[in-house]
Amino acid sequence: AKAAKKKAKKQDQRNPSTVEAAKAKNPKAFTFNSVNKALKGERRKLDHDVRRQRLPTKQRTATPSTVSDKTPPVIVSVVGPPGVGKTTVIQSMIKYYSRHSIADPTGPITIVSGKNRRLTFFECKNDLNSMIDCAKVSDLVLLVIDGHFGFEMETFEFLNVLQVHGFPKIMGVLTHLDLFKTGKQQRKAKKTLKQRFSVEVYPGAKLFYFSGLINGQYPRMQVQNLGRFISVMKFKPLKWQNSHPYFIADRMEDLTHPQKIQDDDTTDRKIVLYGYLRGTRLKPGSKVHIPGCDDFWLEEVTELGDPCPLPSASEVRRSLSEKQRQLYAPFSNVSNIAIDKDATYIELEEHKMVFTKKDGEDIEDDDQLAVGEKMVRNLQTQEQTVDEKLDDSKISLFSHSTPISSRQRRPMNFSEEIDTGDQEDDSDSESDLEMDNGDEFKRSAPRDLFRVDDSDSNEESDDEDVKDTEDRSWFDNVAALYKGKGKNLMEIVYGERAVDSRDANSDDDGELLRLVNDKQNEHSVFVDTIDSSLYCPTSEEWTNWEESEMMEKLKDRFSGAAWFEDVDESLINDSDEEVYGDFEDLEAAEGDEQMKDENDDEESDEEDDSEGDEESAQMKRLKAKEALKAKFNAEYDDENDSNYLEDLQAQTEKQIRLNEEEFAQDDPVLRAQLLGYECGTYIRIQLSGIPCEFVENFDPKLPLVVGGLLPNEHNLGFVQTRVKRHRWHRKILKNNDPIIISMGWRRFQTLPLYSLADDSMRHRMLKYTPEHMHCYATFYGPVTPPNTGFIGFQHLRNNVSTFRVAITGVVLEVDQSFQIVKKLKLTGNPFKTYKNTAFIRGMFNSELEVAKFQGAAVRTVSGIRGQIKKPLKVPGTFRATFEDKVLMSDIVFLRTWYPVHAQKFYNPVTSLLDSEWTGMRTVFQLRKDKQLRVPVNQDSLYKPVEREARKFNPLRIPKALEKELPFAAKPKRLQKKEKLERPVLIGYGNKEERQVNHLLQQLGTVKNEKIRKQKEKREKDYAKRQKVVQAEKEKREERTKASRKRVFRLQGIEKERAAKKRKY
């Protein structure tokens, strides 16, 4: 009852009418106490709203959130360490959506999950290359975690890879929760893992709990909970995916000729890849990159039918039927039918082959086989295809006509009249054509028999017409008979035997053409009036103008229709009435009004004006009114009502609509050639020059991603980035050590050059990366747009226990070269000094070097600054001036900056060609593998420095300067007073003093001896007492031990008695 009251009170507080009533009753309770606090709160709220706003991203692709016919399936990557249950999660999800069971899910598996959504599941192996590829193309990531073990290193490595490549939607799945012995341990583990998962992903990240297996799959309710979240999830287009076309291949075929492979098994291959296109449009002839292989040019791109289409909206009612739950998994051998652009392949298992002749089977008599089995085996033993047989076949339309092959098509021409005399002359060659005037001309003959094909007639030569004049005589007879009425065309075309056979109901076993039924001939009633050689519309094709739809279409043919789509409909009005109420057209001149009235009076006299002039005048008036309306709205509408973001979104939508309208009427093939293939299309691409290792080492369990490259991403150059060593990587990174970088679609190995920018924006080279701060890295690699994230690794091995992510960074700039310098100190010694001048040697080797550094600033160890002036006659020596006198023992040094260039090293990672790809090793790895020691330079070792103590001359201040100095700064020249030491003589007094001293000494000796004896006696007494105490302690322990033993014995006897009593 208390909870119900509290709930009712909360609902009452949320009711707007209740709140308004309370405000009216006590308005002071709902006002603010402080104006400043209220103003700050309002500002904070507005700032928060502005921060949440984002500029509308140009929608280049159809994301899974934008439902349309061209929406590609959502890529759901199931990622996790080995042994956490990734395969079981995929099997459970497929069973939930498609009602199918897959024993070994391999490669992409596409299913229809709802009315407007499809899902493509892919299991990511515990391989760093697979993790990187899945992170680049995934729309949703299911991060599977062993709840009993906890987080593993691979999970955090994959999260770091996701962060630099766009960070798609992530949901966690905890498995193996049934291994906990108590519920308390399970709840504690859930709480800890969920808290850590929210910290690593984002606050409030969804985490699902799977525990227990039923028939090898997770419980249905747990899987259904995950499936419902996936079905309602919305996705935003990632930056890289929204600017590049890509697809993950679900089929791969090798089209290389077998003879080439037999001649040379290392020859390059020609392959085709299939998949759903995602991202932007893919233009034919563009360049693509296969991560783990190389760059290739597209030879051919073909659009195929969707193998797993979405159900139509009219067919789906409340939920999907069993027929609509389609599944497409070519690599998992689920679908036995593979559709290509020009062929269809059906794969049957051996135990299901019933009609095919098996190996070792010998059947002597074919009569033993069934009719269907015999027909299939005859088709399989044919040496020619159906197309080849059709090309070689011939057919005779009439009994005495020359056979016609598929390669010789003869045109018919009825335009010219044929004399009856020619018909009589050719009657001998066609004596079998009997003409019966009593038979009626029927319309049962096919219309295409008399149709003329202009394209084929143009291909025939004049020589063939002259050669076959005799064979064309039957055409002339048919044309002549057609002019007369009452002729029996059935007898003329099919012969007398065909007419008789219709009455006898006999089968024409040897004839290709058979007579149609008489029921079809009943509809031919206009034979004598309609030319059957021409097209005759049927009743279904007739237009019924009494229908309302047909009348609306007919109205569009007249001038009253809305022809001007870009003009507001409210402005379409022939009269100049006020459209906006009291709005008055102030810009219209009075002269225009008079001209308008005169034109209205003279309309009856000018009926012969052209209709085009009226339309153009009407168009001008409509345009003028629309411009005037827009001007009025711009002046008097409230400016606060307009939203900048909404305006940008409207402009974007308008541009998209204009693009669609521009190419809406074009042919799909032409539109694909101009704009490229649209996102969501199932395409087939053909690539050549593929290394043979790609086909030989092909593994369908690895993601095969094909990413399109923009025109500016084909070249290589120097890339300047901002990087930071990962805080979990155990070592700092050394300059020019090889590192594997994943940037864009590519994975490659390069040699980075680290640097820092000082206050003068000079990039100084670093030997090692900083410990806890960013630095610059310059390396040679593919040209990539700025603000593109990347991640670096020192190796890709899986048999390591340390964190493999070395660096993360972002691209800043791309150029042919960058200026990076390192510090170089040149030292020299003076060999002649003057007041402010010194001659220096040992710093340069020639006069040319001195001339290059003329005017440079130098410095001594003691801090005296100077400048290089001119070279001397001796090579390498020069004169320099200083601000003070330089000693002969001073060392003069010159600070210079030496340019350093990054090395041109680019080694793509070919993990699809070689699964054990290693790449270049670091210097540390080389020394470790070859068991070499680090070379030691003796000059670089620290040695004890032995310097002679230098004696400097005392400071001498001139008398004139000393007088001007203040008293505190004047030197104090006071003479030191001699210290008088007072002698202390002991024992050299008079006789009485000596006697007193001797007595005191004796008394002291007696006292000390007495104290010594007392101390020795105390020590002896203490030792004797300790012996007595120790003996008593030992006796007490023996008595205690005996008493305990007696007690324990009695307790044991009591227990035995109690046990015997219970037993009996």
Side-chain angles (χ1 to χ4, degrees):
K2 186 176 181 181
K5 290 181 180 179
K6 187 175 181 180
K7 184 177 180 180
K9 183 178 179 181
K10 184 180 292 186
Q11 291 180 354
D12 190 44
Q13 289 177 355
R14 293 177 180 175
N15 191 1
S17 60
T18 306
V19 176
E20 293 297 332
K23 284 185 179 180
K25 186 180 297 183
N26 188 9
K28 293 184 178 180
F30 293 90
T31 187
F32 47 83
N33 296 328
S34 175
V35 178
N36 295 331
K37 289 184 178 181
L39 187 60
K40 288 182 180 179
E42 191 67 23
R43 287 178 180 174
R44 191 183 303 109
K45 180 182 177 181
L46 293 176
D47 291 343
H48 180 69
D49 295 341
V50 171
R51 289 194 193 99
R52 292 182 58 186
Q53 293 177 355
R54 295 290 182 271
L55 289 176
T57 306
K58 184 176 290 186
Q59 192 67 23
R60 303 178 186 272
T61 176
T63 59
S65 300
T66 58
V67 179
S68 64
D69 296 338
K70 291 294 184 179
T71 302
V74 179
I75 298 181
V76 182
S77 298
V78 183
V79 187
V84 296
K86 300 189 295 294
T87 305
T88 310
V89 170
I90 293 179
Q91 290 175 344
S92 303
M93 296 300 296
I94 293 174
K95 182 68 175 178
Y96 168 72
Y97 282 117
S98 63
R99 310 295 190 266
H100 287 80
S101 297
I102 299 180
D104 185 16
T106 304
I109 301 174
T110 304
I111 58 176
V112 178
S113 62
K115 302 177 183 179
N116 300 316
R117 178 164 292 186
R118 294 171 292 180
L119 303 178
T120 298
F121 288 95
F122 188 85
E123 180 182 352
C124 180
K125 292 182 63 177
N126 186 33
D127 180 24
L128 207 52
N129 294 306
S130 301
M131 292 181 185
I132 294 172
D133 292 340
C134 289
K136 296 176 182 177
V137 300
S138 298
D139 298 318
L140 172 64
V141 174
L142 295 181
L143 208 56
V144 186
I145 304 165
D146 188 350
H148 185 259
F149 183 84
F151 287 105
E152 299 183 45
M153 198 71 75
E154 290 84 353
T155 304
F156 292 99
E157 290 174 348
F158 184 71
L159 286 175
N160 281 271
V161 175
L162 288 177
Q163 287 175 354
V164 299
H165 289 304
F167 211 82
K169 295 286 185 178
I170 299 178
M171 290 196 299
V173 178
L174 286 183
T175 59
H176 299 173
L177 295 176
D178 52 335
L179 298 179
F180 288 101
K181 296 182 179 180
T182 62
K184 184 178 180 180
Q185 293 178 353
Q186 188 183 39
R187 290 191 298 271
K188 185 178 180 181
K190 284 182 179 180
K191 183 178 179 181
T192 305
L193 294 175
K194 186 174 182 180
Q195 183 179 4
R196 182 64 183 178
F197 188 75
S198 300
V199 171
E200 290 296 331
V201 182
Y202 55 85
K206 196 63 181 174
L207 195 62
F208 297 89
Y209 308 107
F210 285 7
S211 62
L213 293 177
I214 302 176
N215 297 327
Q217 295 180 357
Y218 292 110
R220 179 175 176 82
M221 292 303 298
Q222 298 176 359
V223 178
Q224 183 178 0
N225 188 20
L226 176 60
R228 287 180 175 178
F229 271 87
I230 295 176
S231 61
V232 299
M233 180 171 289
K234 294 183 179 181
F235 305 94
K236 63 177 181 179
L238 302 180
K239 182 178 179 181
W240 184 264
Q241 296 178 4
N242 199 30
S243 58
H244 295 78
Y246 67 96
F247 71 91
I248 179 169
D250 51 22
R251 279 179 58 195
M252 193 278 292
E253 294 181 4
D254 186 7
L255 300 184
T256 310
H257 199 281
Q259 186 63 33
K260 292 184 178 180
I261 301 177
Q262 187 175 1
D263 296 341
D264 184 11
D265 56 352
T266 61
T267 184
D268 292 340
R269 306 298 176 86
K270 179 189 291 186
I271 66 171
V272 289
L273 301 175
Y274 304 81
Y276 287 96
L277 180 63
R278 295 173 172 85
T280 57
R281 294 179 177 269
L282 179 64
K283 293 186 178 181
S286 59
K287 198 172 188 179
V288 297
H289 177 78
I290 300 178
C293 192
D294 203 355
D295 299 347
F296 302 97
W297 292 96
L298 291 177
E299 283 194 352
E300 182 182 352
V301 183
T302 309
E303 180 179 355
L304 303 180
D306 197 338
C308 188
L310 284 170
S312 60
S314 60
E315 297 177 357
V316 180
R317 295 183 179 178
R318 185 179 182 88
S319 62
L320 297 177
S321 62
E322 296 296 331
K323 184 179 179 181
Q324 294 169 346
R325 297 178 182 272
Q326 297 191 16
L327 173 66
Y328 182 67
F331 287 143
S332 299
N333 296 326
V334 174
S335 178
N336 297 328
I337 300 177
I339 302 175
D340 203 350
K341 70 170 186 176
D342 53 0
T344 302
Y345 304 95
I346 303 176
E347 181 181 357
L348 297 177
E349 298 180 2
E350 187 175 357
H351 68 278
K352 294 183 179 180
M353 292 188 298
V354 181
F355 297 153
T356 305
K357 183 177 181 181
K358 300 180 181 180
D359 297 339
E361 184 181 3
D362 188 11
I363 298 177
E364 297 179 356
D365 190 4
D366 294 341
D367 296 338
Q368 300 177 3
L369 304 175
V371 178
E373 187 174 358
K374 184 178 179 181
M375 181 181 65
V376 172
R377 293 196 176 187
N378 290 335
L379 290 174
Q380 292 177 349
T381 55
Q382 296 296 329
E383 297 180 356
Q384 290 182 331
T385 61
V386 178
D387 295 338
E388 293 177 353
K389 286 186 176 181
L390 289 177
D391 293 339
D392 298 338
S393 63
K394 296 182 180 180
I395 185 173
S396 297
L397 295 179
F398 303 100
S399 59
H400 297 283
S401 62
T402 304
I404 302 174
S405 64
S406 61
R407 297 180 181 177
Q408 296 179 356
R409 302 178 64 182
R410 309 189 182 280
M412 296 177 60
N413 188 6
F414 294 101
S415 60
E416 298 179 1
E417 295 184 357
I418 304 176
D419 296 333
T420 57
D422 298 337
Q423 179 182 353
E424 295 176 357
D425 296 337
D426 297 337
S427 61
D428 297 336
S429 61
E430 298 190 8
S431 60
D432 295 338
L433 296 177
E434 299 179 0
M435 305 175 185
D436 189 3
N437 296 330
D439 295 338
E440 186 180 358
F441 188 79
K442 308 264 183 181
R443 202 184 172 189
S444 60
R447 297 177 183 176
D448 295 339
L449 180 64
F450 300 96
R451 190 169 296 174
V452 180
D453 194 346
D454 297 337
S455 61
D456 294 338
S457 63
N458 294 333
E459 297 177 358
E460 299 293 338
S461 60
D462 297 334
D463 298 337
E464 294 178 352
D465 294 336
V466 176
K467 181 179 178 181
D468 299 332
T469 52
E470 296 179 358
D471 297 335
R472 294 185 57 185
S473 59
W474 67 277
F475 287 107
D476 302 337
N477 295 332
V478 172
L481 292 173
Y482 177 72
K483 291 183 178 180
K485 297 182 179 180
K487 305 299 181 182
N488 189 354
L489 188 61
M490 296 294 297
E491 183 179 355
I492 296 173
V493 175
Y494 298 103
E496 184 178 4
R497 182 180 59 183
V499 178
D500 297 338
S501 62
R502 181 182 61 178
D503 300 332
N505 295 326
S506 60
D507 297 335
D508 297 335
D509 296 333
E511 298 293 334
L512 179 63
L513 298 177
R514 299 183 60 184
L515 296 177
V516 297
N517 296 330
D518 293 338
K519 294 180 179 180
Q520 298 178 357
N521 299 332
E522 294 177 0
H523 301 285
S524 305
V525 295
F526 302 105
V527 176
D528 297 336
T529 58
I530 299 177
D531 190 355
S532 60
S533 63
L534 301 177
Y535 175 75
C536 180
T538 60
S539 60
E540 291 82 1
E541 299 176 355
W542 291 347
T543 303
N544 188 7
W545 296 106
E546 296 179 358
E547 297 180 359
S548 59
E549 296 182 359
M550 296 297 105
M551 293 297 293
E552 293 295 333
K553 292 182 179 180
L554 188 61
K555 289 180 180 180
D556 294 341
R557 300 290 182 178
F558 296 90
S559 60
W563 290 350
F564 313 107
E565 298 179 357
D566 55 344
V567 179
D568 192 357
E569 295 182 358
S570 61
L571 299 177
I572 300 178
N573 190 1
D574 294 336
S575 63
D576 290 337
E577 296 177 357
E578 294 178 356
V579 184
Y580 308 108
D582 297 336
F583 176 76
E584 183 179 0
D585 191 356
L586 302 177
E587 295 185 358
E590 297 180 357
D592 296 339
E593 297 288 343
Q594 297 176 1
M595 293 295 297
K596 178 182 174 183
D597 297 336
E598 294 176 2
N599 292 335
D600 293 339
D601 297 337
E602 296 175 0
E603 282 183 357
S604 58
D605 300 335
E606 297 179 357
E607 294 179 355
D608 298 335
D609 292 343
S610 62
E611 186 178 356
D613 296 340
E614 294 179 358
E615 294 177 358
S616 61
Q618 182 184 9
M619 188 64 182
K620 290 180 180 178
R621 291 197 302 270
L622 294 176
K623 290 288 186 181
K625 289 184 178 181
E626 186 178 15
L628 199 58
K629 178 182 177 182
K631 183 179 179 182
F632 178 80
N633 293 337
E635 291 180 357
Y636 294 96
D637 286 351
D638 189 5
E639 297 180 357
N640 298 328
D641 296 340
S642 62
N643 193 346
Y644 179 69
L645 294 178
E646 294 179 357
D647 294 344
L648 289 179
Q649 187 68 25
Q651 292 178 6
T652 305
E653 294 176 356
K654 181 180 179 181
Q655 186 64 37
I656 294 174
R657 186 171 61 256
L658 289 177
N659 295 340
E660 293 177 355
E661 294 175 356
E662 182 68 23
F663 298 96
Q665 303 298 330
D666 293 345
D667 184 65
V669 178
L670 178 61
R671 186 166 59 250
Q673 294 292 332
L674 296 176
L675 300 179
Y677 290 89
E678 191 177 357
C679 173
T681 307
Y682 192 78
I683 61 173
R684 169 189 185 271
I685 67 170
Q686 179 175 326
L687 304 175
S688 296
I690 305 294
C692 60
E693 293 83 3
F694 178 84
V695 180
E696 294 173 356
N697 302 328
F698 178 72
D699 186 4
K701 293 185 178 181
L702 298 177
L704 183 55
V705 179
V706 180
L709 299 177
L710 301 181
N712 58 345
E713 297 175 358
H714 298 174
N715 302 326
L716 299 177
F718 288 99
V719 184
Q720 189 176 72
T721 60
R722 183 176 63 249
V723 300
K724 184 180 181 182
R725 183 189 68 89
H726 200 279
R727 63 182 184 277
W728 291 348
H729 196 262
R730 63 178 183 177
K731 290 184 178 180
I732 58 177
L733 304 177
K734 188 180 179 182
N735 194 22
N736 276 332
D737 261 1
I739 192 167
I740 300 169
I741 291 178
S742 172
M743 184 171 62
W745 298 123
R746 296 181 172 94
R747 296 193 303 272
F748 57 93
Q749 192 179 38
T750 185
L751 302 177
L753 191 64
Y754 303 112
S755 61
L756 267 181
D758 53 11
D759 296 336
S760 60
M761 298 307 294
R762 181 191 295 111
H763 287 269
R764 296 178 54 183
M765 188 194 75
L766 298 176
K767 278 190 175 182
Y768 301 96
T769 56
E771 190 70 23
H772 301 291
M773 62 180 295
H774 290 83
C775 67
Y776 293 95
T778 306
F779 53 83
Y780 185 75
V783 176
T784 309
N787 296 329
T788 302
F790 68 91
I791 191 169
F793 310 88
Q794 280 195 332
H795 57 81
L796 300 175
R797 298 190 301 270
N798 296 325
N799 54 351
V800 293
S801 60
T802 58
F803 198 72
R804 289 177 289 184
V805 178
I807 60 172
T808 57
V810 64
V811 178
L812 298 179
E813 190 179 357
V814 179
D815 202 349
Q816 293 295 328
S817 62
F818 291 95
Q819 186 69 20
I820 301 175
V821 295
K822 70 176 182 179
K823 185 172 61 176
L824 178 63
K825 283 187 177 182
L826 302 178
T827 60
N829 299 315
F831 63 92
K832 188 179 293 187
T833 60
Y834 297 96
K835 185 176 182 181
N836 293 98
T837 305
F839 294 161
I840 313 299
R841 62 185 174 187
M843 186 177 293
F844 303 107
N845 296 323
S846 63
E847 295 183 4
L848 181 61
E849 294 181 1
V850 177
K852 287 184 177 180
F853 288 93
Q854 192 171 353
V858 294
R859 195 185 188 101
T860 62
V861 177
S862 57
I864 303 175
R865 295 171 296 183
Q867 188 180 18
I868 299 176
K869 289 301 184 181
K870 289 184 179 180
L872 301 177
K873 294 182 178 180
V874 180
T877 60
F878 61 90
R879 180 175 65 87
T881 58
F882 296 89
E883 59 185 2
D884 200 357
K885 187 175 182 180
V886 179
L887 301 179
M888 294 290 293
S889 59
D890 278 340
I891 299 176
V892 181
F893 61 89
L894 171 65
R895 292 183 59 183
T896 60
W897 300 101
Y898 181 76
V900 182
H901 303 285
Q903 300 184 23
K904 288 187 176 182
F905 178 75
Y906 173 75
N907 183 20
V909 178
T910 57
S911 57
L912 295 181
L913 308 182
D914 183 11
S915 59
E916 301 296 333
W917 185 90
T918 55
M920 180 187 290
R921 292 175 290 180
T922 61
V923 177
F924 170 75
Q925 293 173 349
L926 288 172
R927 289 172 181 166
K928 183 179 179 180
D929 296 341
K930 296 184 179 182
Q931 297 181 355
L932 299 176
R933 294 185 176 180
V934 180
V936 178
N937 188 4
Q938 297 296 332
D939 295 338
S940 299
L941 298 178
Y942 289 99
K943 300 176 183 178
V945 180
E946 297 179 357
R947 292 189 178 92
E948 297 180 359
R950 296 186 59 183
K951 186 179 180 181
F952 296 96
N953 298 327
L955 182 61
R956 295 179 180 178
I957 302 175
K959 296 291 184 179
L961 181 59
E962 186 178 355
K963 291 180 180 180
E964 297 178 358
L965 292 175
F967 178 79
K970 288 183 179 180
K972 309 300 186 293
R973 298 185 179 89
L974 300 176
Q975 295 181 357
K976 293 183 180 180
K977 296 182 179 180
E978 296 180 0
K979 188 176 181 180
L980 299 178
E981 295 181 358
R982 184 171 63 88
V984 180
L985 301 176
I986 300 175
Y988 293 95
N990 51 15
K991 185 177 180 180
E992 293 179 359
E993 290 180 357
R994 287 196 301 268
Q995 290 177 356
V996 171
N997 291 335
H998 183 65
L999 180 60
L1000 292 175
Q1001 187 176 6
Q1002 289 177 353
L1003 291 174
T1005 303
V1006 172
K1007 183 181 179 181
N1008 292 336
E1009 184 67 18
K1010 185 179 180 180
I1011 292 173
R1012 185 182 65 81
K1013 288 180 180 181
Q1014 291 176 357
K1015 185 177 180 181
E1016 289 179 358
K1017 185 179 179 181
R1018 283 196 304 269
E1019 291 178 355
K1020 288 179 182 181
D1021 295 342
Y1022 181 76
K1024 188 177 180 180
R1025 178 61 183 170
Q1026 286 295 325
K1027 289 180 181 180
V1028 175
V1029 172
Q1030 185 67 21
E1032 292 177 356
K1033 185 178 179 180
E1034 290 177 358
K1035 291 179 181 181
R1036 187 168 56 252
E1037 289 179 355
E1038 289 178 359
R1039 290 194 302 268
T1040 305
K1041 185 176 181 181
S1043 63
R1044 287 181 179 177
K1045 188 175 182 180
R1046 185 172 59 256
V1047 171
F1048 292 154
R1049 186 174 66 251
L1050 293 175
Q1051 290 179 356
I1053 293 171
E1054 292 294 333
K1055 288 183 180 179
E1056 289 180 359
R1057 290 177 181 176
K1060 288 180 181 180
K1061 288 181 180 180
R1062 287 195 301 269
K1063 184 176 182 181
Y1064 294 106

